[in-house]
Amino acid sequence: MDMLIGGKHVSGEDLEDVVNPYDGSVIDTVPIAHLQTAQLAIDAANDAKDSLVEMSAFKVSNKLYSVCEKLKDKREEFAELLALEVGKPINEALVELDRSIETLKLAAEEAKRIYGESVPLDAGLNGKGFFAFTQRLPLGVVAAITPFNYPLNLTIHKIAPAIACKNTVIIKPPTEAPLTVMKFGELLNEEFPDGVVNTVTGYGSEVGDYLVCSPEVDKISFTGSVTTGMMISQKAGMKKVTLELGGNDPMIVLKDADIDKAVKGVINGAFLNAGQVCMGVKRIIIEDEIADEFADKLVAETEKLVMGNPLEKTTTLGTLISENAARQVEETVNNAVRDGAEILTGGKREGAFYQATVIDNVDPEMDLVVRETFGPIAPIIRVKGIDDAIKVANDTEYGLQAGVFTSDYASAMRCAQEVEAGTVFINKQSTFRTDNMPFGGFKNSGVGKEGIKYAVEEMTKTKLIGLNLR
Ligand code: NAP
C-alpha cells in the first residue's frame, strides 16, 4: 500500500513486508520512507492549513460524519485487515471498529463545540472599560505516532480531534501494523482537501524522530512505550506533546470482593488482545485469605479460552504481534519461574502464540511485574491487607489505570484516593475505557489526556482578544 502525501499516492524504493503473525504470510508491503519524504509530508500539511481553517465548523463536522458512515459501510473489511495484521481475534477487531466509529462520531460532535469564553477584565486592576473574549485556535500541524496494538482506534483518537479543531495531520503508523490506518487515511482524504491528511510509513527511529524534531510540526501526539515517549519528550523542543505511554495496571482484590466478578475482570483484562493492552490487568494484588479460591476459579476460566486462527469467530486468544514478541514474554515468564513463581496454567509458546497463563506466588520485585509484560499473563501477588495492597500497587514507575474489587465503600474510597493512577475503577478492571472519558496516566505512563474533548483542549491554543471601550 502506498503512502498518502498532499492527496497523492507515494511509493518508495525501499519496501517493508507486513506479515500476518498467525501464519507468517506477507499481507502487503509498505514503503520505508526516508527523511526527504517525511519533509514532503510536512510541507503538504503546512500548505493545507488554510484550506481547513477557512472551512466552517459545520462543514468540518459534516465531513467527519461522512467519514464515519464510510467506515461503518466498510466495518467488516477493515476488521478483517486488522485481524490479519495484528493477529487479534476477529470479534475483538470488530469491537475496535465499533469504537473507532464511535470515536469519529464524538469528534464530529466536538467540531461544533470549540468554544471560547468572555473574560471579565474589569475584575483585574485597571481592567474597567474592556470587553474581552478568548478563541481556541488550531495549533497547525499535528503529527500522530501510534503503536501496533490498537492501531486504528488509537490513531483516530489523535487525528479526528485534530481535524475537528482544524489542524492538518501527518500519520506515522506502526511499522508492524500500518495497513488499516493507511486505508483509513484514504477515507479521510476522500472528504477533506489534499494535504489535510498525510500518511508516512517508515521506521520510528528515522521518520518518527524527524517529525518530532521538525520546527514545522506544531504538536506531537504519541502513543507507545515509555522508552520512546521519554526520547520524544527530550527532543520535541517547544512544541506541544501528548504522551500516552505504557501501563502496569494493578487489580486490587480485597477479601470482601465478589470473587467471580474479579475473575471475570482478569479474563477480560489480562488476556484481551493477547495481553497487549496498555491498560491491561498486569498485576493482581490479592489478600491472602481469598487467593486460593480466586486462583482455582481463574484457572478454570482461563482454560476455557480458545487459541487459534484470528479470523475464526470462535477464537478468543490470538497471536502476539510477532514471534519475537512472544519469545520475550516466554523469557520473562521463565525467569519468574526460575525465581520461585509458579505457573498454574499455560506457560507455553507456539510460534507467535503464547498461552493464556496464570502465575501464582509472584514477588513484586520480579521483572515480570516490575516492567510492563506485554502478553497474556495474569500474575498473582499475595498481600496481607489493604495497606500492603496499596503499597504494592503504587510501587511502580507506571500509573495508567487501576481496578479495585471490594464490597466495602470505605476500602473502595481509600483505594480510589490513594492509588496513583489516571483512573481508578471500583469493581471493574482497569481494562475499560469509553472514548469520551479523559484518558491518560500519571507518573511515567504519560503526559496529557485523550478522549475527544480533552484531546481538542490539547490541540488548540487560546487567544485573548480585548476591546478597549473607554
Ligand atoms: P513503541 O515501540 O514505542 O512504538 C510506538 C510508535 O512509535 C511506532 O509507530 C514506532 O515506529 C514509533 N517510534 C519508535 N521509535 C521512535 C522514535 N525514536 N521517535 C518517534 N517515533 C518512534 O511502542 P509499541 O511497542 O508499538 O507499543 C506498545 C507500547 O505502547 C506499550 O508500552 C503500551 O503500553 C503502549 N500503549 C499505550 C497506550 C496508551 O494509551 N497509554 C495505548 C496503547 C499502547 P516503528 O513501529 O516504526 O518502530
Side-chain angles (χ1 to χ4, degrees):
M1 199 178 286
D2 286 344
M3 297 180 286
L4 178 70
I5 298 179
K8 296 197 177 53
H9 285 180
V10 176
S11 54
E13 284 173 17
D14 300 327
L15 298 176
E16 175 96 3
D17 291 341
V18 181
V19 175
N20 175 349
Y22 170 63
D23 61 10
S25 61
V26 175
I27 309 166
D28 203 342
T29 57
V30 295
I32 290 302
H34 298 296
L35 303 186
Q36 301 90 317
T37 314
Q39 185 58 47
L40 288 180
I42 293 172
D43 293 343
N46 274 288
D47 290 348
K49 279 196 293 202
D50 287 349
S51 68
L52 200 53
V53 169
E54 282 160 15
M55 201 178 280
S56 68
F58 179 80
K59 207 165 170 185
V60 171
S61 172
N62 278 357
K63 284 179 178 295
L64 285 169
Y65 275 120
S66 298
V67 179
C68 193
E69 289 306 313
K70 286 183 178 176
L71 189 60
K72 248 188 231 169
D73 291 344
K74 292 177 186 285
R75 174 178 179 265
E76 276 76 22
E77 187 186 324
F78 269 72
E80 193 164 309
L81 185 56
L82 196 54
L84 284 176
E85 64 176 341
V86 179
K88 68 172 70 187
I90 187 72
N91 288 331
E92 289 186 25
L94 285 165
V95 171
E96 183 168 349
L97 258 297
D98 290 341
R99 286 194 47 200
S100 301
I101 291 162
E102 167 74 6
T103 307
L104 263 175
K105 210 188 291 172
L106 287 165
E109 290 165 3
E110 200 62 31
K112 293 186 173 178
R113 296 196 286 249
I114 318 285
Y115 296 123
E117 61 184 5
S118 65
V119 183
L121 294 199
D122 71 341
L125 193 64
N126 296 330
K128 193 163 184 327
F130 277 86
F131 175 72
F133 60 96
T134 60
Q135 281 184 311
R136 296 201 71 94
L137 304 174
L139 297 175
V141 175
V142 172
I145 305 178
T146 46
F148 70 83
N149 59 342
Y150 287 87
L152 186 62
N153 195 35
L154 293 177
T155 304
I156 294 178
H157 260 291
K158 301 177 180 315
I159 59 179
I163 293 172
C165 55
K166 302 187 182 181
N167 294 285
T168 60
V169 298
I170 303 168
I171 306 168
K172 204 315 266 173
T175 299
E176 284 166 309
L179 300 174
T180 320
V181 172
M182 294 170 82
K183 210 168 145 74
F184 178 70
E186 304 276 347
L187 283 192
L188 274 171
N189 190 57
E190 286 171 19
E191 286 294 325
F192 287 95
D194 290 348
V196 168
V197 180
N198 307 277
T199 310
V200 189
T201 46
Y203 302 128
S205 52
E206 193 177 354
V207 171
D209 184 72
Y210 189 76
L211 295 172
V212 168
C213 297
S214 169
E216 295 161 287
V217 171
D218 301 287
K219 158 126 196 159
I220 300 294
S221 181
F222 172 77
T223 299
S225 62
V226 171
T227 312
T228 312
M230 283 186 169
M231 237 161 12
I232 289 175
S233 81
Q234 282 161 11
K235 290 188 170 186
M238 293 294 280
K239 65 172 70 69
K240 281 201 175 193
V241 174
T242 298
L243 301 171
E244 298 287 345
L245 308 180
N248 202 1
D249 292 356
M251 180 201 269
I252 294 180
V253 188
L254 298 178
K255 60 183 176 216
D256 52 16
D258 177 336
I259 293 184
D260 292 335
K261 202 178 209 180
V263 166
K264 196 165 159 226
V266 177
I267 299 294
N268 293 330
F271 304 134
L272 185 75
N273 203 27
Q276 302 164 114
V277 185
C278 56
M279 57 182 176
V281 171
K282 305 214 178 83
R283 297 175 295 147
I284 302 158
I285 301 166
I286 184 163
E287 282 198 77
D288 217 5
E289 285 105 307
I290 55 161
D292 286 342
E293 182 188 348
F294 174 87
D296 288 347
K297 287 184 167 174
L298 179 58
V299 167
E301 289 304 310
T302 302
E303 288 176 350
K304 290 182 189 162
L305 293 172
V306 180
M307 201 163 86
N309 185 345
L311 291 182
E312 302 278 347
K313 289 250 178 194
T314 47
T315 296
T316 47
L317 186 73
T319 65
L320 275 77
I321 188 64
S322 63
E323 183 164 336
N324 193 28
R327 280 184 195 282
Q328 281 175 27
V329 172
E330 181 180 36
E331 193 185 325
T332 311
V333 171
N334 290 347
N335 288 344
V337 170
R338 186 200 58 206
D339 294 340
E342 185 192 349
I343 293 179
L344 301 183
T345 187
K348 295 220 163 37
R349 183 185 63 79
E350 294 167 34
F353 281 104
Y354 195 81
Q355 290 177 333
T357 300
V358 179
I359 312 180
D360 202 354
N361 296 315
V362 172
D363 187 290
E365 303 294 312
M366 289 174 176
D367 245 15
L368 180 73
V369 286
V370 167
R371 293 204 255 143
E372 181 189 33
T373 301
F374 228 42
I377 311 296
I380 298 174
I381 302 171
R382 293 170 179 243
V383 291
K384 292 277 175 249
I386 187 168
D387 293 346
D388 202 11
I390 294 173
K391 186 168 169 292
V392 171
N394 286 341
D395 189 16
T396 172
E397 65 170 305
Y398 300 92
L400 189 51
Q401 302 212 112
V404 179
F405 285 75
T406 175
S407 55
D408 178 58
Y409 270 108
S411 303
M413 277 312 292
R414 185 169 164 212
C415 291
Q417 284 168 336
E418 293 184 23
V419 171
E420 298 157 355
T423 303
V424 179
F425 285 118
I426 307 299
N427 290 323
K428 184 78 185 167
Q429 70 278 8
S430 59
T431 323
F432 179 72
R433 176 182 186 183
T434 64
D435 294 293
N436 63 332
M437 74 183 218
F439 180 82
F442 291 173
K443 303 200 273 190
N444 282 349
S445 284
V447 175
K449 295 281 182 195
E450 290 193 338
I452 300 301
K453 172 184 160 204
Y454 306 94
V456 163
E457 281 169 15
E458 306 221 5
M459 291 178 178
T460 47
K461 56 190 173 195
T462 300
K463 175 182 266 190
L464 181 109
I465 297 169
L467 284 72
N468 182 356
L469 303 176
R470 282 186 287 193

